[in-house]
Amino acid sequence: MVIIAAKARARLPRRVFRNALRANPFTFDGVPGGRSHRGCVLASVTHTQYNAVMKTAVIPQIRVEPELRAELESVLNQGETLTEFVEATVRNAIAFRRVQTDFHARAQAASAEYHRTGVSVPVDAVLDRLQSKLDAKRKKLAR
């Protein structure tokens, strides 16, 4: 939602403002009609023509201690903004949570399968398989 003052509509293309009013012709007090007591209009404006430069959502702001903020700013890379850092951190946290959730689901399925059948893989076989994967990766990285 974008709040558009009646006087500001002259800055927008006429069709954008007209379409916004058709989409949501309500004022601040929720009464249909397009005008409030102060002459402001609440309109839903689609940002299809602005999507290339605008983001579609905002992450909520949080309050932190000044020490944490200073520590955060001290670890930023050259030319990196706080916004870029937060966005990258959120993306990494989402990816980690997805991996964690998938791992938990596989573990639950394996546990259920074991309880259903009573068949499991011996610990030595699992450790040998993991060690061979580790050795293969070390060999590949050593090249």
Side-chain angles (χ1 to χ4, degrees):
M1 293 267 191
V2 176
I3 298 171
I4 303 173
K7 294 174 185 162
R9 76 175 169 198
R11 287 184 239 141
L12 288 172
R14 184 181 298 274
R15 66 180 167 72
V16 172
F17 187 76
R18 188 172 52 240
N19 291 340
L21 286 178
R22 283 186 195 135
N24 188 7
F26 290 94
T27 60
F28 291 114
D29 52 7
V31 178
R35 296 218 179 266
S36 71
H37 63 281
R38 293 190 178 152
C40 292
V41 177
L42 183 64
S44 172
V45 178
T46 59
H47 295 287
T48 54
Q49 60 190 359
Y50 307 109
N51 275 344
V53 294
M54 294 183 68
K55 298 196 185 248
T56 57
V58 175
I59 296 175
Q61 294 180 356
I62 57 170
R63 292 206 176 271
V64 296
E65 297 84 21
E67 296 82 20
L68 180 61
R69 172 74 186 240
E71 188 176 348
L72 172 60
E73 289 175 349
S74 72
V75 299
L76 292 177
N77 292 328
Q78 183 76 21
E80 184 179 32
T81 64
L82 185 59
T83 302
E84 292 168 340
F85 179 84
V86 170
E87 182 181 0
T89 303
V90 168
R91 287 181 189 279
N92 289 338
I94 290 169
F96 177 78
R97 291 277 176 97
R98 285 194 176 131
V99 168
Q100 196 176 35
T101 302
D102 292 345
F103 177 80
H104 187 263
R106 288 193 310 271
Q108 290 290 351
S111 177
E113 181 69 16
Y114 168 72
H115 288 295
R116 188 177 64 78
T117 63
V119 177
S120 66
V121 179
V123 174
D124 291 337
V126 173
L127 291 176
D128 289 342
R129 198 173 337 153
L130 288 173
Q131 187 63 48
S132 66
K133 284 183 178 183
L134 182 60
D135 293 341
K137 189 60 120 175
R138 284 182 177 161
K139 184 177 179 181
K140 182 178 178 182
L141 291 174
R143 289 188 221 167

